[in-house]
Amino acid sequence: MIAVLDVGKTNVKLSAAAADGTIVETLSVPNPVRPGPPWRHHDLQSLGEWVFDTLAALSRRYDLAALVTAGHGSGGVLTGADPDAGDGAVLPMIDYEQPLPDDIREAYAPFAGTFLDRGSATMHGATHQARQLYWMAQREPGAFAKARWYLGLPQYWAWRLSGVAASEASFLGAQSHLWNVAEGRWAPIVSARGWEHLMPPFAKAWHALGPVRPELVKRFGLPNGLSVLTGGHDSSLNHYRYHAAGLRDFTVISTGTWIVGFSGSTPIERLDEHRGMTLNSDVFGKPLGGILTMGGREFSHIAGKDAPAADVPVDILGRLISERVFATPSFGDDDGLFPGSAGRGRILGRSAETPMERKALAILYCALLTIECLEALGDDSLVVLDGSFLRDPLYAQLVAAVLPDRQVRVNLDAYGVAAGAALLAGEETRRRPALLSLGEPADLTALKTELRGYAADWRSLARAAPGRQDEFEHTKGSFHD
């Protein structure tokens, strides 16, 4: 059995998984955030107690051979040399969703490098590990000078458990602004700021760094000899599960707070940082074309707080399409795929009057966002959808209906990141593809023709200047070029 620690922004999960990626048990806890000074930060001390206690409890129920950690791509920890010195950190781990001080933002920009150095546009809040490091160095130079390592989130927990520090390609390739994926080298900011000594040697995501430290075995009752793997970026590990199952030349779209798309087929020159596109790394260090937009937040803005749990009836969706009711980007504070759209989201046509109509409009909007992501990444014939949007089958049906020339498949497994992480343990010994069950969305035959015309108009509206959207409303749902 494999233990998987999945560190998300909001929640942390610890699972026991079989070697084939099947999740047997999962326990979770909120990921606590504390106010400053010196900045809003995650409570690594209390989280560590939970992780070690819960891992010990799981080890009493299952024969655990290895542990692997996955983590979101906007977190890292500046540590000392001793993992037993409190939480090991010399400065608190920055919460990436807080606003960045204006002076830090402005002073950081000249160091940020090219798109290939960054792997993304410079995003909102305190996102990007390089920018967090810069903030730490500017505000707390005394503590910064005492640091031994800078570790990505999965590698921090691997270090706490094993005592071995490592860097890892998929995590640094997740918009850290520290690693140039295309050229396989550190971004210029690392040498410009003198950070080379903070970066430990690289290890593969599936590499065994060592056993759990004896101190933790003694204090918490952790299993002696439990192997600690390097771990990696959560979305990259979700992508890896499909690779481990033998899929090639495919695009995966994962949905939740973010819509995250990955394709290994996307040429680097196709990537457009101004449309939410990213240059990521898979666990093998190879480039992954990526795309990011906060679909889950957009869904919540449109559907509202009282969204029904029931599936949306097709007739309600059909009425919104026939009456040309549109939601246009973007409702949150992020442009996503549409430059200049942040905070300009609108409902065009009549209002969506009932909770179910609002949910239907939100699903329709997010399906169209997904299609924009897919077409930006390229033309892989196989598309795999997974994540929380699949709770309503209409989402996948809409994507498939607008893209008839693609094979759209769905994975209803809710534990993609944990499954991919568990499969890492067998990377060097697996002799046949990992098991994977994919479904096919039902056909929206009755709506196909009208839906494709609606989708074309939505794209024109989404890309139009606000004045052109006003023209659309004035002409009562007929968009003229």
Side-chain angles (χ1 to χ4, degrees):
M1 297 289 286
I2 313 299
V4 176
L5 177 62
D6 180 4
V7 184
K9 172 64 172 67
T10 306
N11 295 291
V12 177
K13 301 174 185 176
L14 188 61
S15 302
D20 65 1
T22 303
I23 307 305
V24 178
E25 181 179 354
T26 297
L27 301 166
S28 65
V29 69
N31 193 354
V33 174
R34 304 294 182 226
W39 39 68
R40 210 164 67 209
H41 57 274
H42 288 276
D43 188 347
L44 297 175
Q45 182 70 36
S46 64
L47 188 55
E49 297 291 320
W50 181 87
V51 168
F52 301 143
D53 282 335
T54 306
L55 181 59
L58 277 182
S59 72
R60 292 190 288 271
R61 295 196 287 277
Y62 307 99
D63 183 15
L64 300 177
L67 177 138
V68 59
T69 301
H72 68 81
S74 295
V77 185
L78 191 66
T79 79
D82 183 3
D84 277 328
D87 59 14
V90 298
L91 284 168
M93 176 187 163
I94 292 173
D95 168 20
Y96 77 86
E97 288 197 296
Q98 66 191 300
L100 197 72
D102 289 341
D103 63 317
I104 297 296
R105 182 189 305 105
E106 293 167 5
Y108 171 78
F111 295 106
T114 67
F115 170 69
L116 293 184
D117 294 324
R118 292 179 275 106
S120 74
T122 300
M123 298 164 68
H124 68 288
T127 306
H128 310 302
Q129 296 171 61
R131 198 159 54 165
Q132 294 169 16
L133 264 179
Y134 182 78
W135 190 1
M136 292 178 187
Q138 295 302 108
R139 289 292 190 268
E140 300 289 340
F144 194 93
K146 298 176 183 177
R148 179 63 190 94
W149 301 118
Y150 180 73
L151 302 174
L153 198 48
Q155 290 72 53
Y156 163 75
W157 289 105
W159 174 74
R160 289 284 304 274
L161 284 156
S162 70
V164 179
S167 297
E168 190 275 327
S170 73
F171 198 80
L172 286 168
Q175 299 84 58
S176 72
H177 288 196
L178 292 168
W179 182 247
N180 184 314
V181 172
E183 299 174 14
R185 59 167 174 79
W186 294 109
I189 192 172
V190 175
S191 59
R193 304 305 300 173
W195 294 342
E196 297 99 328
H197 69 287
L198 298 173
M199 308 299 168
F202 275 80
K204 298 294 187 184
W206 59 86
H207 181 73
L209 298 179
V212 169
R213 295 185 293 114
E215 296 87 347
L216 298 179
V217 172
K218 181 178 179 180
R219 179 178 172 190
F220 293 96
L222 297 182
N224 194 21
L226 178 68
S227 182
V228 180
L229 309 190
T230 308
H233 177 228
D234 50 12
S235 295
S236 300
L237 295 186
N238 185 62
H239 181 272
Y240 170 75
R241 72 184 302 213
Y242 298 108
H243 177 93
L247 272 59
R248 300 294 184 269
D249 300 323
F250 67 97
T251 301
V252 60
I253 298 284
S254 300
T255 58
T257 300
W258 293 87
I259 295 175
V260 181
F262 280 155
S263 171
S265 307
T266 307
I268 289 175
E269 57 271 18
R270 188 184 180 104
L271 302 176
D272 181 354
E273 65 176 301
H274 303 296
R275 297 198 65 223
M277 301 191 78
T278 62
L279 177 57
N280 285 68
S281 169
D282 66 14
V283 298
F284 305 101
K286 297 178 181 178
L288 276 178
I291 197 160
L292 280 171
T293 188
M294 293 193 84
R297 296 281 172 87
E298 295 284 283
F299 181 97
S300 297
H301 278 292
I302 299 167
K305 296 179 180 179
D306 56 348
D311 294 346
V312 171
V314 174
D315 64 314
I316 289 180
L317 174 74
R319 190 161 60 245
L320 292 173
I321 291 171
S322 64
E323 295 179 9
R324 318 298 278 171
V325 180
F326 293 87
T328 61
S330 291
F331 292 84
D333 59 1
D334 185 72
D335 284 343
L337 283 69
F338 304 100
S341 68
R344 293 183 171 181
R346 302 169 66 187
I347 307 298
L348 302 179
R350 71 167 176 85
S351 62
E353 296 171 353
T354 68
M356 189 60 83
E357 281 193 335
R358 289 192 293 273
K359 182 179 179 182
L361 188 61
I363 289 174
L364 180 55
Y365 174 88
C366 289
L368 294 171
L369 275 184
T370 297
I371 291 160
E372 285 288 302
C373 291
L374 287 166
E375 297 198 340
L377 286 171
D379 56 2
D380 286 333
S381 60
L382 176 60
V383 171
V384 181
L385 306 176
D386 66 27
S388 61
F389 285 5
L390 295 180
R391 291 170 188 161
D392 193 308
L394 202 54
Y395 164 74
Q397 293 168 20
L398 285 163
V399 174
V402 179
L403 298 176
D405 296 331
R406 308 242 197 156
Q407 298 177 51
V408 177
R409 299 294 182 264
V410 297
N411 184 358
L412 297 176
D413 180 358
Y415 297 97
V417 172
L423 287 166
L424 276 180
E427 169 57 25
E428 294 182 342
T429 58
R430 190 178 302 110
R431 295 293 175 259
R432 59 180 60 88
L435 295 175
L436 179 65
S437 177
L438 298 179
E440 188 172 354
D443 197 348
L444 275 180
T445 304
L447 294 178
K448 272 187 178 179
T449 301
E450 195 169 14
L451 176 60
R452 288 172 193 164
Y454 177 99
D457 273 351
W458 181 87
R459 171 176 287 179
S460 296
L461 286 164
R463 296 181 177 185
R468 293 283 281 147
Q469 295 184 358
D470 292 338
E471 174 191 327
F472 178 90
E473 284 197 290
H474 181 68
T475 56
K476 301 186 184 300
S478 177
F479 198 94
H480 302 289
D481 291 326

